[in-house]
Amino acid sequence: MPKLSDRYYTGREAQRKLGITEPALRNLVNQRKIRKVIPPGKQYGVYLKAEIDDYAEKWMAFLTAKEPPKTTFEIAQLSDMDMVYDVALRAIGPTMSAELRRSWLGKNPESCYVVKHDDKVVAFFHLLPLKEECLMDFMAGKIRGWNITADNVETYEEGKPVNCLLIIASEPDLNDTTRMHYVSRLLRGIRQELGKLGRRGVIFSKFYATSETPTGIAMSIHAGMQEYGQRLNKRLTFVLDPETSTSFLLGDYKEGLMEWQKSHKQNRKNRISPANGQTKTPA
């Protein structure tokens, strides 16, 4: 007799297959992108393997798609902020000025990344470390992005925990396939940069994001972020915890941070004399 497990995944199995959290899986069900089936006499729902596998393949194809020719991923420069602002304005709506973004970048030169095509910014990613009070006020809707001054931006330092606000957008006036290429290139680049920061000992406590657009909400969900807090009209808030998340974005970061932790631990051990437990001093 065929078993239920032959054709269906449990909720936990579906999460692992897709690399997402339980709230993210629930959102996919609510959006009718994935069907949840409750078998007769059972309390918990299951998911058709064929549907989950197909969705996972499409998402992986999106993430690994090759970018169009001449597409580059770069750390943003001050001179890029006018183009970043232009993309954000058309993709998101009323947004932070180019001047304000330049002030953020001036405080932390590694807080924004861009994808360019023919020297034009077509996608960007703010990885903005903020002071706790400012970040929480923003997430609660007490302040908006244009109220975040450079004084509230943190720097990346070895061994220093930081919380980051994520802001992402891509050129809206393109077909879906081209936009997918650009965003895919952006996310792959961000994954690699997070790995570099991890190897330098930068400790990301949590990542936060908000969105009011269907594209932004879908991107947050697929990145493994969890919705939290109260919705403010159409504005949803998300959080990503590196300690518990299995998000594809964090793979390189976790490996890099582990390398730093091992090296840091070994260096501390080497500074302690095994004979008397005293710290070694240079001759």
Side-chain angles (χ1 to χ4, degrees), residues 192-254:
Q192 293 169 356
E193 290 300 317
L194 287 174
K196 294 177 184 177
L197 291 169
R199 285 189 287 275
R200 282 167 42 190
V202 176
I203 301 172
F204 292 105
S205 297
K206 290 181 181 178
F207 300 94
Y208 294 86
T210 69
S211 183
E212 298 180 12
T213 67
T215 300
I217 292 170
M219 184 62 64
S220 298
I221 291 172
H222 289 310
M225 304 192 83
Q226 291 183 305
E227 184 182 349
Y228 88 107
Q230 294 184 345
R231 297 188 179 188
L232 302 174
N233 297 320
K234 295 181 179 180
R235 184 176 184 261
L236 274 62
T237 54
F238 298 92
V239 64
L240 181 65
D241 187 342
E243 287 194 5
T244 58
S245 174
T246 58
S247 170
F248 65 92
L249 277 179
L250 299 177
D252 288 8
Y253 169 69
K254 289 185 175 183

Side-chain angles (χ1 to χ4, degrees), residues 114-160:
V114 295
V115 168
K116 291 183 178 180
H117 184 249
D118 289 339
D119 294 324
K120 178 183 177 182
V121 171
V122 292
F124 69 84
F125 195 114
H126 284 292
L127 184 68
L128 193 64
L130 294 174
K131 293 180 180 178
E132 181 79 12
E133 183 177 358
C134 175
L135 180 55
M136 292 301 101
D137 282 348
F138 173 79
M139 296 303 294
K142 296 179 180 179
I143 63 173
R144 300 303 300 268
W146 42 80
N147 301 125
I148 300 174
T149 63
D151 292 339
N152 289 299
V153 176
E154 302 269 27
T155 56
Y156 295 135
E157 301 173 22
E158 183 178 14
K160 174 185 174 182

Side-chain angles (χ1 to χ4, degrees), residues 50-63:
E51 282 191 3
I52 296 295
D53 292 344
D54 181 62
Y55 195 89
E57 288 177 5
K58 289 179 179 178
W59 180 239
M60 185 55 64
F62 162 66
L63 293 177

Side-chain angles (χ1 to χ4, degrees), residues 38-56:
I38 300 179
K42 299 291 184 179
Q43 183 178 0
Y44 299 104
V46 293
Y47 304 84
L48 192 64
K49 284 187 174 181
E51 282 191 3
I52 296 295
D53 292 344
D54 181 62
Y55 195 89

Side-chain angles (χ1 to χ4, degrees), residues 56-104:
E57 288 177 5
K58 289 179 179 178
W59 180 239
M60 185 55 64
F62 162 66
L63 293 177
T64 58
K66 293 183 178 179
E67 66 275 9
K70 299 181 181 179
T71 301
T72 60
F73 173 87
E74 308 170 10
I75 295 179
Q77 304 300 313
L78 295 176
S79 57
D80 293 325
M81 291 302 102
D82 288 315
M83 289 187 286
V84 167
Y85 168 73
D86 179 65
V87 171
L89 183 63
R90 289 182 290 108
I92 302 173
T95 186
M96 294 74 72
S97 68
E99 187 60 35
L100 180 58
R101 294 170 194 264
R102 275 191 283 270
S103 72
W104 294 348

Side-chain angles (χ1 to χ4, degrees), residues 101-113:
R101 294 170 194 264
R102 275 191 283 270
S103 72
W104 294 348
L105 198 59
K107 182 68 176 293
N108 186 327
E110 297 173 286
S111 63
C112 186
Y113 301 85

